[in-house]
């Protein structure tokens, strides 16, 4: 459909960009990094074409992007961002070896449900740290950090610590697949990921 609508001749490039984004779900990605990937494989492309093809896929709701936001200035940052797929079935079918990449899958699931619930979603970048999502809806904001499980104290410190560096009183959540919920004096709430998603869909 994208090919015919936009009269794309290089359908192989369109497909390869899609495959690249699928493989890098949850990873910071930029158009220059995609250009470098193709250059390393002796493939010809250019910035404008890659930008257009990604835009076409976004218009078709196949993929979505989450731009980075500076926690200090509250402004969007150019360059790297994360891309998420609307249907993880594409990724699981085309890259079955990545089905064990639970962290990326969970991040994609949380992103998709936030978006379905009507939230605008960005990544949060501070000095020396990042937070997975800041989600905004009807002038209400919340910060969300997604983790697979937190079996060690250093993992707990990393996931909660990034949120604790944000100096405001907005709701902050760590969501994971841990059955035992963790409590912190900072007031950051730990929720099981399915409970978090259930509350979004109520």
């Amino acid at each position: 459909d994208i090919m015919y609508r936009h009269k794309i001749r290089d359908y192989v490039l369109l497909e390869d960009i899609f495959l690249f984004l699928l493989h890098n779900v949850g990873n910071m990605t930029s158009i220059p990094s995609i250009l470098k990937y193709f250059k390393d494989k002796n493939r010809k492309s250019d910035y404008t074409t890659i930008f257009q093809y990604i835009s076409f896929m976004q218009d078709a709701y196949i993929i979505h992007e989450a731009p980075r936001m500076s926690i200090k200035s509250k402004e969007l940052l150019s360059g790297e961002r994360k891309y998420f797929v609307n249907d993880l079935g594409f990724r699981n079918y085309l890259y079955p070896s990545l089905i064990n990449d639970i962290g990326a899958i969970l991040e994609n699931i949380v992103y998709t449900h936030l978006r379905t619930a009507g939230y605008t979603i960005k990544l949060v970048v501070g000095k020396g740290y990042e937070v997975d999502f800041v989600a905004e809806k009807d002038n209400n904001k919340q910060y969300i950090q997604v983790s697979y499980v937190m079996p060690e104290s250093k993992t707990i410190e990393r996931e909660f610590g990034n949120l604790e560096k944000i100096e405001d009183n907005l709701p902050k959540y760590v969501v994971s697949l841990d059955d035992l919920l963790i409590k912190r004096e900072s007031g950051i709430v730990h929720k099981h990921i399915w409970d978090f998603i259930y509350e979004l869909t109520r």
Side-chain angles (χ1 to χ4, degrees), residues 25-81:
V25 161
N27 294 328
M28 286 293 187
T29 305
S30 65
I31 294 178
S33 69
I34 300 174
L35 272 171
K36 183 179 184 304
Y37 170 80
F38 286 129
K39 183 179 179 181
D40 291 343
K41 292 185 174 294
N42 295 316
R43 294 281 305 281
K44 291 183 178 180
S45 186
D46 60 81
Y47 188 101
T48 300
T49 301
I50 292 176
F51 176 83
Q52 287 180 334
Y53 285 11
I54 291 176
S55 297
F56 296 157
M57 285 186 275
Q58 288 178 285
D59 291 342
Y61 299 103
I62 297 174
I63 62 167
H64 307 286
E65 70 172 24
R68 297 181 304 154
M69 182 193 79
S70 167
I71 192 64
K72 185 176 181 180
S73 67
K74 309 300 182 185
E75 295 179 351
L76 294 182
L77 302 173
S78 60
E80 290 185 322
R81 58 202 56 221

Side-chain angles (χ1 to χ4, degrees), residues 58-121:
Q58 288 178 285
D59 291 342
Y61 299 103
I62 297 174
I63 62 167
H64 307 286
E65 70 172 24
R68 297 181 304 154
M69 182 193 79
S70 167
I71 192 64
K72 185 176 181 180
S73 67
K74 309 300 182 185
E75 295 179 351
L76 294 182
L77 302 173
S78 60
E80 290 185 322
R81 58 202 56 221
K82 289 186 180 182
Y83 291 94
F84 298 94
V85 61
N86 201 53
D87 185 348
L88 279 168
F90 287 117
R91 190 173 189 261
N92 296 338
Y93 176 75
L94 294 168
Y95 289 110
S97 62
L98 295 179
I99 201 166
N100 294 321
D101 187 5
I102 306 299
I105 291 172
L106 292 178
E107 195 171 336
N108 200 113
I109 289 171
V110 172
Y111 175 91
T112 301
H113 279 84
L114 284 167
R115 197 173 188 280
T116 301
Y119 285 89
T120 300
I121 310 153

Side-chain angles (χ1 to χ4, degrees), residues 18-30:
F18 179 55
L19 292 174
F20 179 92
L21 296 177
L22 284 182
H23 195 277
N24 286 280
V25 161
N27 294 328
M28 286 293 187
T29 305
S30 65

